Amino acid sequence: MPLEFEIAPGRMIGENHPCFFIAEIGQNHQGDINIAKQMIQVAKDAGADCAKFQKSELKHKFNKAALARPYNSPHSWGPTYGEHKEYLEFSHDQYRELKAFADSIGILLSASGMDEKAVDFLDELGVPFFKVASCDTNNMPYIESTARKGRPMVISSGMQTMETMRQVYNKVKSINDKFCILQCTSAYPLDPEDVHLNIIKEYQKEFPDIPIGYSGHERGNAITLAAVGMGAKVVERHITLDKTWKGNDHEASLGKGALEGNK
């Protein structure tokens, strides 16, 4: 298995290649495609390699009861969880529009496929790699089906044990040798004492033949820069245009000034 691989055409990661920076837009676009395009441009201007979203096929991922339940939150975009999620979800045609825009300004576009149907669509869309969100990392049928698509994979490790990560490593390794694992602690925002950057070193020892990276949710960029100093070959950070906007992720996101500090 390679300690380096091509994550996108002409872009290698691992070994002595530059750190690959993923600007995670997620759903910080507020359901507005024009804001999404503005964020892609901000990511490009800051020197990010890739702008990333989150894609779900809601009726495949959730049952009717889950979609119909009341969603009473300051961050809600609708009275039910389904309406909230639908408000933030871009259609297939909108994703095609976003990818065309990203292509036109010279930045990669990808997304976390939050269920198998979403991964199928992203494969059709032609994303350069699949991102596996921490919440799906211990879903072995999902991991296997995604690996079988043959595209590179970036796998977050939030909420997972070392034993689970060994299982993920062995499962993906048997199918697809182009993948990396990101140290991640699933807290939003993440307090410095809970970051546990030394897990990067543990993963480097445990999985010495794949690149290891970092997905951070802390405030600011100092800890992320330290992760790169410890050998992180891929870094992912949420970005926002306004940290005061409605939404769970804005507070744990980099604003434009801090994002440009990652150049």
Side-chain angles (χ1 to χ4, degrees):
M1 178 176 288
L3 191 57
E4 61 177 6
F5 64 85
E6 191 175 54
I7 195 169
R11 181 59 161 94
M12 299 292 291
I13 64 165
E15 291 287 13
N16 295 320
H17 300 289
C19 182
F20 186 84
F21 187 79
I22 301 170
E24 166 70 272
I25 295 170
Q27 295 187 323
N28 281 354
H29 49 69
Q30 313 300 88
D32 186 324
I33 194 168
N34 292 316
I35 291 177
K37 289 179 179 179
Q38 186 179 353
M39 295 182 78
I40 293 171
Q41 185 69 61
V42 166
K44 167 65 176 177
D45 292 345
D49 294 285
C50 179
K52 193 182 79 65
F53 292 83
Q54 297 171 7
K55 181 71 183 104
S56 297
E57 299 293 342
L58 298 178
K59 292 182 180 179
H60 175 77
K61 182 176 180 179
F62 300 103
N63 62 28
K64 291 181 180 179
L67 292 173
R69 69 177 174 84
Y71 190 56
N72 301 314
S73 164
H75 301 300
S76 174
W77 293 97
T80 67
Y81 190 67
E83 290 170 286
H84 163 76
K85 294 293 288 183
E86 188 67 37
Y87 184 91
L88 293 170
E89 196 64 49
F90 289 138
S91 69
H92 289 189
D93 283 344
Q94 286 175 313
Y95 263 95
R96 294 184 183 101
E97 184 178 342
L98 290 171
K99 187 173 186 302
F101 176 75
D103 290 345
S104 74
I105 65 171
I107 187 172
L108 299 170
L109 182 141
S110 192
S112 298
M114 308 303 286
D115 54 78
E116 291 90 340
K117 291 293 186 183
V119 173
D120 288 344
F121 167 68
L122 294 172
D123 192 37
E124 173 196 323
L125 185 65
V127 297
F129 63 91
F130 296 126
K131 172 68 200 305
V132 178
S134 292
C135 58
D136 289 311
T137 296
N138 62 353
N139 182 344
M140 292 303 163
Y142 169 95
I143 290 291
E144 180 173 352
S145 65
T146 301
R148 291 193 183 284
K149 299 286 188 185
R151 295 186 186 274
M153 296 171 66
V154 177
I155 305 171
S156 280
S157 60
M159 304 178 288
Q160 310 303 330
T161 65
M162 182 63 82
E163 180 54 34
T164 295
M165 296 315 298
R166 291 189 190 104
Q167 293 174 21
V168 169
Y169 170 87
N170 289 328
K171 174 65 71 176
V172 178
K173 180 182 178 181
S174 68
I175 302 167
N176 181 349
D177 67 356
K178 298 184 291 294
F179 73 102
C180 61
I181 289 172
L182 308 187
Q183 156 58 5
C184 177
T185 301
S186 296
Y188 305 82
L190 175 62
D191 292 330
E193 60 268 26
D194 296 324
V195 171
H196 302 302
L197 278 188
N198 279 332
I199 298 297
I200 292 173
K201 293 182 178 179
E202 295 303 310
Y203 284 158
Q204 289 167 340
K205 288 187 290 186
E206 189 74 25
F207 313 117
D209 53 358
I210 64 169
I212 301 300
Y214 175 69
S215 178
H217 308 116
E218 73 277 3
R219 298 176 179 89
N221 59 16
I223 291 172
T224 298
L225 295 175
V228 176
M230 293 176 69
K233 302 302 183 182
V234 176
V235 162
E236 177 187 58
R237 287 297 307 270
H238 288 257
I239 68 170
T240 183
L241 299 183
D242 189 333
K243 294 171 78 70
T244 68
W245 276 354
K246 181 165 73 173
N248 293 307
D249 290 338
H250 290 288
E251 189 180 354
S253 300
L254 293 176
K256 184 177 179 181
L259 177 63
E260 290 177 340
N262 282 304
K263 282 187 178 181

